[in-house]
Amino acid sequence: NDIEYIKSYYFNKLELIRFSSSVGKYVGYTELGVKNAERWNKDLSNLAAMKAQKETYCKNNVDIW
C-alpha cells in the first residue's frame, strides 16, 4: 500500500510535469507543464493506463528491487 508510481518529465534539469499514482493525475510545475497537464488529464484512457502502472510495474518488481 505504500508504493507510489511517479513519472516525471524534465527539461534542462527543471521538472515540467509529473504523474503520481497517489494523486491520480498529472500535475504541472511550469506554465508549459500546467497547460500539458490539463490536456493530458482530459485523456481518460491515458490516465487509466498510468494508474495501472502501479499494479503492473511496481508491484511486480518490488521484490526484485
Side-chain angles (χ1 to χ4, degrees):
N1 289 334
D2 58 344
I3 297 172
E4 182 178 12
Y5 176 76
I6 297 173
K7 185 170 184 177
S8 298
Y9 297 86
Y10 289 86
F11 182 74
N12 284 342
K13 299 181 183 179
L14 177 66
E15 186 174 22
L16 304 176
I17 191 168
R18 174 190 298 178
F19 176 85
S20 171
S21 64
S22 63
V23 178
K25 65 179 184 175
Y26 290 95
V27 177
Y29 296 101
T30 64
E31 183 179 349
L32 178 62
V34 170
K35 289 179 183 179
N36 281 319
E38 290 172 357
R39 185 171 51 93
W40 292 355
N41 286 330
K42 291 178 183 176
D43 185 357
L44 299 180
S45 63
N46 183 29
L47 281 180
M50 293 301 290
K51 290 176 185 177
Q53 288 297 314
K54 180 179 176 183
E55 300 293 325
T56 59
Y57 181 77
C58 296
K59 292 199 176 178
N60 286 330
N61 291 307
V62 70
D63 292 330
I64 297 170
W65 294 94

